Amino acid sequence: MNLWLSEIAKAVNGELKIFSTDVLVKNFSINSKSIGKDTLFIPLKGSRFDGHDFVKEALQNGAISFISQKDFDDLKVPYVKVGDTLLALQSLAYFARRKLNDLKVVGVTGSVGKTSTKEYIFNVLSLRYRAFKNQGNFNNHIGLPISILNMPEDTQVAVFEMGMSNFGEISKLSQIAKPDIGVITNIGVAHIENLKSRYNIFLAKSEIQDGMPESGILIINNDNDILNLHKKEFKRKVVTIGIENESNFRAQNVQKHQNGFSFEVGGYTYFIKSFNFHDIYNSLFAIAVGTILEIDRELIKEAILQKERLKRRFEVINKGSITVVDDTYNASTHSMLSAIDSICEFDGKKILVLGDMLELGEFSEEEHRRVGRYILQKPIDVVICTGKDAFYIFDEAKKKDGVKAYFVSKDECLDVLKREVTSNCTILFKASRGIKLDEVVDEFLKER
């Protein structure tokens, strides 16, 4: 987005310093090392670092100006002095979003499935509109504002993933992004350590409505028990997706194929190249968004078919007769159970390598035991658990006759796998990102 420095100063209620001639800013960065042409550097102050220490480096790398909480009058470069650079970043994104009156925005939040849902929606939008999405994990109070500022001015539709860990965070993101369509993928137990109950998580996710216009539309997963139970509490028009429950966009006649799933919605047959059953829900959100924004059904079918599989999100890797499923990007109870369900659809011997689910606080033991009890109902052959609280998964899973259950250190996982892996075998690796179970996946694949 192109903004004049004088315009920026006014938007963030800042003071222009060393200013003689106005400067046109075309790019925005919080990283002094990734500075492009005509870039404004916005240094942020954290608990262990201060971006102001890198202002000179940013200028050396080509920054045209910067915003600062400190005085840098010795640099002889025009800049904007503010009281708080983080608030300035958010205020500037708020200002920039409102300059784009014709822009349609889709906001995506939920306990799990946000990124995959965002990708499906983006694929659908891209086939008709000039579409934009926030990259990677740029879904918080820093990433979303910088994404908005770097969005091309000719963008017609944007889809923004919105993450949170406590009350008020989704509200802030929603008020900045001003979504026309809100998506809540589900309500699980991620962040229950802070919020204490699933209903509180529901309330925190519901904050996505705070920046939506009165005419905004909220799309929810009607099969999720909390969303189904409390959907009448929403203040915007609600559109539902689902498989089990009657919904506005309901997948029926779901069929598993060698390379994915087919299903019918409203008389149209769709296909996704995914082995994860939960991706049907993610694609249903894209079908709903595309339909609301009047995209041709044939284009929607093409878009969800072409959606790329994301790294370490139920990524299926074939090594001869052995299938590795790398789902180590993150984990919650809901996504654990869903991944186990999906693995049960694979042929041959089934091995689970499971690590801790983090940020569960006082609920951690019960949620890990819940996963272990779930395994008792499934045709799983081997369960390998690693991490502190994964012990509780092991403690439940070992109760099943015919299942080999191990509780080992992360370094010992490979030794157990060497003993247990046979031909025609599927191995699921899943844990929260902080456990770094992806390192075990990489080592295992290196040795195959």
Side-chain angles (χ1 to χ4, degrees):
M1 171 166 285
N2 296 346
L3 295 172
W4 292 99
L5 192 62
S6 58
E7 192 179 16
I8 291 169
K10 193 175 295 184
V12 301
N13 195 27
E15 178 188 359
L16 283 167
K17 306 277 282 186
I18 320 180
F19 182 80
S20 57
T21 305
D22 217 345
V23 175
L24 184 62
V25 175
K26 298 181 180 179
N27 299 290
F28 302 81
S29 178
I30 56 173
N31 185 346
S32 61
K33 292 178 170 54
S34 63
I35 301 292
K37 187 179 179 183
D38 302 322
T39 297
L40 179 79
F41 176 57
I42 306 172
L44 301 178
K45 188 175 174 59
S47 57
R48 291 176 293 178
F49 70 93
D50 188 347
H52 292 82
D53 296 338
F54 303 96
V55 167
K56 291 181 181 179
E57 180 183 52
L59 293 172
Q60 289 169 358
N61 289 337
I64 197 171
S65 183
F66 60 96
I67 295 177
S68 174
Q69 295 174 199
K70 300 179 179 180
D71 289 312
F72 283 92
D73 294 349
D74 60 316
L75 294 179
K76 308 306 179 189
V77 174
Y79 68 97
V80 179
K81 177 78 179 295
V82 297
D84 187 312
T85 51
L86 175 58
L87 289 178
L89 168 65
Q90 294 167 348
S91 297
L92 190 55
Y94 182 96
F95 170 77
R97 166 67 182 97
R98 277 145 188 81
K99 285 194 72 175
L100 303 171
N101 292 324
D102 296 329
L103 178 72
K104 290 287 184 185
V105 170
V106 181
V108 180
T109 191
S111 294
V112 294
K114 293 185 295 294
T115 302
S116 292
T117 297
K118 177 190 71 177
E119 295 296 328
Y120 273 113
I121 292 172
F122 177 77
N123 267 30
V124 168
L125 299 179
S126 298
L127 288 186
R128 177 172 175 182
Y129 300 103
R130 290 187 294 277
F132 179 83
K133 63 181 177 180
N134 49 346
Q135 298 293 328
N137 60 350
F138 273 49
N139 65 359
N140 63 6
H141 62 298
I142 297 171
L144 186 134
I146 202 73
S147 297
I148 289 175
L149 289 169
N150 285 313
M151 182 170 53
E153 286 192 336
D154 65 348
T155 302
Q156 295 173 304
V157 182
V159 53
F160 293 120
E161 178 182 337
M162 298 179 179
M164 53 138 277
S165 58
N166 219 325
F167 285 118
E169 295 174 0
I170 292 294
S171 178
K172 181 182 286 290
L173 298 181
S174 179
Q175 291 178 59
I176 292 172
K178 197 181 171 187
D180 301 278
I181 299 173
V183 168
I184 303 180
T185 60
N186 46 52
I187 303 297
V189 293
H191 309 302
I192 201 167
E193 180 178 15
N194 295 331
L195 294 167
K196 305 305 179 188
S197 73
R198 289 182 69 209
Y199 181 68
N200 281 344
I201 295 172
F202 164 81
L203 293 177
K205 299 295 185 185
S206 299
E207 293 173 2
I208 196 170
Q209 300 169 103
D210 291 357
M212 293 173 64
E214 291 294 325
S215 60
I217 296 173
L218 198 58
I219 309 174
I220 66 166
N221 181 346
N222 207 32
D223 287 352
N224 181 261
D225 56 342
I226 297 292
L227 287 171
N228 185 301
L229 181 63
H230 297 287
K231 61 189 173 188
K232 290 184 180 178
E233 297 179 30
F234 289 117
K235 299 172 184 176
R236 298 294 182 274
K237 177 183 176 181
V238 172
V239 170
T240 56
I241 66 99
I243 301 173
E244 299 169 5
N245 295 326
E246 189 63 43
S247 304
N248 299 113
F249 294 86
R250 185 181 185 184
Q252 296 179 297
N253 193 24
V254 176
Q255 301 288 328
K256 186 178 184 299
H257 302 272
Q258 190 172 2
N259 59 339
F261 290 94
S262 67
F263 53 93
E264 296 176 7
V265 181
Y268 291 84
T269 300
Y270 297 86
F271 189 89
I272 57 170
K273 291 180 180 177
S274 172
F275 299 97
N276 186 357
F277 184 85
H278 197 82
D279 269 338
I280 298 174
Y281 287 101
N282 300 335
S283 63
L284 281 171
F285 285 114
I287 294 168
V289 170
T291 303
I292 290 168
L293 294 179
E294 299 180 341
I295 297 176
D296 183 85
R297 291 293 182 100
E298 293 301 322
L299 289 179
I300 296 175
K301 288 170 64 174
E302 179 184 339
I304 67 168
L305 179 63
Q306 298 305 323
K307 184 252 180 188
E308 294 181 12
R309 294 173 189 168
L310 298 172
K311 186 79 174 167
R312 303 199 191 280
R313 290 179 173 92
F314 211 87
E315 181 184 6
V316 178
I317 304 159
N318 292 309
K319 287 283 185 176
S321 65
I322 297 170
T323 300
V324 172
V325 179
D326 183 352
D327 202 11
T328 58
Y329 182 80
N330 223 333
S332 66
T333 311
H334 186 89
S335 65
M336 275 276 196
L337 303 185
S338 176
I340 292 167
D341 279 342
S342 296
I343 283 298
C344 291
E345 297 296 323
F346 285 71
D347 296 329
K349 185 176 182 179
K350 299 169 185 64
I351 299 175
L352 305 180
V353 183
L354 306 179
D356 287 0
M357 302 180 291
L358 302 179
E359 298 184 15
L360 293 174
E362 63 189 278
F363 301 91
S364 189
E365 178 177 346
E366 174 54 31
E367 292 302 317
H368 283 84
R369 287 193 182 278
R370 182 180 165 198
V371 172
R373 289 193 296 269
Y374 197 72
I375 291 169
L376 298 178
Q377 309 166 31
K378 300 295 177 178
I380 301 298
D381 300 289
V382 179
V383 182
I384 305 169
C385 299
T386 184
K388 177 174 168 286
D389 287 355
F391 168 80
Y392 301 118
I393 299 177
F394 158 79
D395 197 41
E396 296 292 339
K398 70 180 184 181
K399 298 174 182 177
K400 183 176 181 180
D401 292 338
V403 171
K404 291 185 178 180
Y406 299 86
F407 180 66
V408 295
S409 69
K410 199 168 76 170
D411 292 337
E412 294 171 320
C413 285
L414 287 174
D415 293 331
V416 178
L417 283 169
K418 285 175 184 175
R419 296 199 301 271
E420 294 294 347
V421 169
T422 59
S423 58
N424 193 24
C425 181
T426 299
I427 312 156
L428 168 69
F429 293 85
K430 190 162 182 65
S432 285
R433 203 180 325 171
I435 303 303
K436 298 183 179 179
L437 196 60
D438 56 300
E439 296 174 351
V440 179
V441 178
D442 292 343
E443 283 300 315
F444 178 78
L445 292 173
K446 198 182 295 181
E447 294 181 6
R448 302 309 300 179

